[in-house]
Amino acid sequence: MPPYSKPGTQVWRVLGVPPVLAGHLVRWAAWGGPLLVALVAGLMRFWNLGSPKAVIFDETYYAKDAWALIHQGYEGQWPKDIDKSILADPSGVTVPADPGYVVHPPVGKWVIGIGEQLFGFTPFGWRFMVCVLGTLSVLMLCRIGRRLFRSTFLGCLAGALLAVDGLHFVMSRTALLDQVLMFFVLGAFGCLLIDRDRSRRRIAAALPCDDEGVLRPDAEVADTLRLGWRPWRIAAGVCLGLAFGTKWNGLMTLAAFGLLTVLWDVGARKTAGAVWPYLSVLKRDILPAFVSTVVVTFVTYVASWTGWIVTKGGYYRNWAQGDGRGGNWTWLPDWLRSLWHYETEVYSFHVNLTSGHTYQSNPWSWIVLGRPVSYFYESPKPGEEGCPASEKSDCAQEVLALGTPLLWWAACFAVLYVLWRWAFRRDWRAGAIACGIAAGWVPWFFYQERTIFLFYAVVFVPFLCLALAMMIGAMLGPPGSNERRRAAGAVGAGVLVLLIIWNFIYFWPIYTGQTLPIDDWRNRIWLDTWV
């Protein structure tokens, strides 16, 4: 298990900070740096969160479903054109008792509902908790990057890149499910990373030392040691269950991360001296790993349906007592049979969803931002809603779910870099990052006929930022590089990061729905496919 490098105080000395204070700042940086990055990210995301005061894109489903869940435990069948009434006077809107047919599990809607319970049935209320999770994900990524790279700087850089990614930013300010899914996926990855360090530390503590006090591999210890209680792996299972309970593609992440943690165990036992590491893992680790991840995930998923289970008004809730009577499974509880029927109907809906949509896109185009999604668009007239009276044509007001272009285009090279590091240098960190990207991206290639959108990619955006941070770390130069190499790498890395930040600032108006003269808006539509 690689140690954390001892940070130096040279930067603080250059800035004129006294040595004693510089030492304190270095020690505090492990948490102070991530908290500062998260604070900046949070201020940007919470700024004017209730604007636009509208039900944008799929908020029309999830905001209302969340409001019904927290009031009656299941989603209702809302009348058409109810959105205007909600925006005008939410207190006068009655939650419908008739069940609504929904095709996503309830966790993400429960999360959105917490914000509505705190701040009301308003745009700010239904966006609040998603924004909280978006901000916390920046903090988590800083700490995950620090643990992964053993570098506070690179960890904070990964978090800062996530803070200025346009897609993550827009999704943090919109009441959709994918940002909630991303949060739990990232949380599961962080828990597994901690579990990896702790299990390796436990193996190292059991290995013998030679006469010089150096740990030596031992085949017997590596083959027979039981690692016992692994709470962080169970926590990862809970996070994966909550991800699965938000959207079903969380199940793909379970498969990828489950394989990843088992391979980490194989690598640990091999390093410790196991002659047949796969056999050792099969005998000692595979069953606890299965229970901690798969079993815990499915238990958490079923528990997430508690509101639907304990009430009687949910869609298909009473199917087992009606159309589902008889058959070979009547010994199961009625609620479980009804839930299984509901799930099979939802699966059929998802795999057969092929109706066209203006903003649908192919997953091949996501990484280069081929077809972003417009969540909101209006054309204020001159002299209205911030449109200058001197304009000769209508202005544009848009919220565009677009990743920061320079960040994503640089990430294309970063993905190739981590694949190279993993394939030819056997760098486990690169393999972990590649696994996170693949878990969120690759499954969609098997459903290319289905109606899918670029904003689904927000699930693997944190891993793109980790890949880019790793590539920038390589640009800075390996340990032992001379001053000239370090200086050249620092200049190149600094220019890249500053350009990404500038790019985010440039697109800020179309991330936040600000009114722009039409020519200024057109200047920001770099590709024809963005319209």
Side-chain angles (χ1 to χ4, degrees):
M1 191 179 74
Y4 286 90
S5 57
K6 185 177 180 181
T9 60
Q10 294 92 336
V11 173
W12 300 110
R13 285 202 297 258
V14 170
L15 296 176
V17 177
V20 175
L21 179 57
H24 287 305
L25 290 173
V26 166
R27 286 194 297 273
W28 295 338
W31 273 103
L35 287 171
L36 180 60
V37 173
L39 175 62
V40 174
L43 290 174
M44 292 191 301
R45 280 155 176 74
F46 277 100
W47 175 84
N48 206 16
L49 181 61
S51 178
K53 188 180 179 182
V55 181
I56 64 175
F57 201 61
D58 280 354
E59 284 185 342
T60 188
Y61 304 115
Y62 307 129
K64 291 180 290 191
D65 287 344
W67 187 249
L69 274 177
I70 63 174
H71 281 87
Q72 61 189 20
Y74 63 90
E75 297 89 339
Q77 180 63 47
W78 291 86
K80 293 182 179 180
D81 301 324
I82 194 66
D83 293 351
K84 293 181 181 178
S85 300
I86 294 172
L87 293 171
D89 182 18
S91 62
V93 175
T94 302
V95 178
D98 292 337
Y101 177 64
V102 296
V103 295
H104 292 300
V107 169
K109 289 167 280 187
W110 280 113
V111 170
I112 293 170
I114 294 172
E116 293 176 333
Q117 185 73 5
L118 292 172
F119 298 103
F121 199 20
T122 65
F124 182 87
W126 61 63
R127 295 169 191 162
F128 176 79
M129 281 304 298
V130 181
C131 195
V132 168
L133 297 191
T135 302
L136 290 177
S137 66
V138 173
L139 175 62
M140 283 200 305
L141 191 65
C142 290
R143 293 289 298 178
I144 287 171
R146 180 178 183 271
R147 181 175 290 274
L148 190 68
F149 301 128
R150 292 301 194 263
S151 167
T152 300
F153 169 74
L154 289 181
C156 289
L157 175 61
L161 291 171
L162 186 63
V164 297
D165 174 63
L167 181 60
H168 185 276
F169 177 81
V170 171
M171 296 297 288
S172 296
R173 294 167 54 85
T174 312
L176 270 63
L177 303 182
D178 300 84
Q179 187 80 339
V180 181
L181 171 63
M182 179 278 306
F183 177 81
F184 290 125
V185 167
L186 185 61
F189 182 80
C191 290
L192 290 177
L193 201 59
I194 297 173
D195 173 74
R196 179 186 186 276
D197 281 356
R198 291 197 169 196
S199 61
R200 282 178 168 254
R201 189 179 299 121
R202 192 171 299 175
I203 292 174
L207 290 175
C209 295
D210 60 15
D211 295 338
E212 298 178 355
V214 178
L215 288 177
R216 295 297 180 188
D218 186 278
E220 183 178 356
V221 170
D223 284 329
T224 61
L225 180 67
R226 294 187 181 274
L227 297 176
W229 176 250
R230 296 173 70 168
W232 284 103
R233 183 180 267 177
I234 296 174
V238 173
C239 287
L240 289 169
L242 293 172
F244 184 24
T246 301
K247 291 188 80 172
W248 275 8
N249 41 321
L251 191 60
M252 306 298 182
T253 307
L254 167 64
F257 285 4
L259 178 62
L260 179 67
T261 188
V262 168
L263 291 177
W264 280 349
D265 283 349
V266 170
R269 291 191 181 273
K270 181 179 179 180
T271 302
V275 179
W276 304 102
Y278 285 94
L279 182 60
S280 300
V281 168
L282 183 63
K283 292 189 297 184
R284 307 295 180 191
D285 302 320
I286 199 71
L287 181 59
F290 179 82
V291 173
S292 300
T293 54
V294 177
V295 174
V296 171
T297 292
F298 277 91
V299 169
T300 303
Y301 177 80
V302 174
S304 72
W305 284 88
T306 299
W308 182 88
I309 293 169
V310 300
T311 57
K312 295 295 184 180
Y315 205 87
Y316 281 134
R317 176 60 183 84
N318 301 307
W319 175 85
Q321 292 110 333
D323 296 339
R325 287 181 179 177
N328 298 323
W329 302 95
T330 52
W331 54 274
L332 291 173
D334 286 344
W335 67 265
L336 184 57
R337 292 173 56 227
S338 296
L339 180 59
W340 178 257
H341 176 72
Y342 196 168
E343 303 288 60
T344 58
E345 292 294 313
V346 169
Y347 177 78
S348 177
F349 168 85
H350 281 305
V351 297
N352 293 302
L353 182 60
T354 57
S355 56
H357 192 283
T358 304
Y359 290 105
Q360 71 182 65
S361 58
N362 190 287
W364 288 106
S365 69
W366 290 356
I367 194 70
V368 293
L369 302 175
R371 183 61 169 164
V373 181
S374 180
Y375 285 173
F376 174 83
Y377 187 90
E378 287 190 354
S379 301
K381 296 185 179 299
E384 299 178 2
E385 299 183 30
C387 183
S390 58
E391 287 294 309
K392 296 180 180 179
S393 61
D394 294 349
C395 291
Q397 186 181 12
E398 183 174 30
V399 175
L400 186 65
L402 171 73
T404 303
L406 294 185
L407 189 156
W408 281 66
W409 296 340
C412 294
F413 296 96
V415 170
L416 295 176
Y417 172 73
V418 297
L419 290 174
W420 174 81
R421 288 283 306 185
W422 176 55
F424 296 102
R425 296 295 180 88
R426 310 309 301 165
D427 191 326
W428 71 271
R429 303 168 303 169
I433 295 169
C435 178
I437 296 171
W441 188 17
V442 171
W444 292 110
F445 289 97
F446 297 97
Y447 298 95
Q448 295 188 54
E449 299 81 10
R450 187 185 183 277
T451 307
I452 52 181
F453 303 92
L454 184 145
F455 65 81
Y456 295 172
V458 74
V459 176
F460 62 86
V461 166
F463 299 97
L464 291 181
C465 294
L466 286 172
L468 190 52
M470 189 174 187
M471 186 180 76
I472 290 174
M475 290 172 62
L476 293 173
S481 299
N482 57 43
E483 290 297 323
R484 184 174 181 179
R485 170 66 179 83
R486 288 284 191 183
V491 170
V495 169
L496 176 59
V497 172
L498 289 175
L499 284 174
I500 290 171
I501 294 172
W502 163 82
N503 202 210
F504 173 75
I505 295 171
Y506 180 72
F507 284 98
W508 172 276
I510 62 173
Y511 293 148
T512 56
Q514 296 187 39
T515 302
L516 288 173
I518 195 67
D519 289 337
D520 289 348
W521 173 80
R522 288 195 184 108
N523 289 338
R524 288 166 173 80
I525 305 302
W526 286 1
L527 300 177
D528 292 340
T529 56
W530 292 3
V531 180

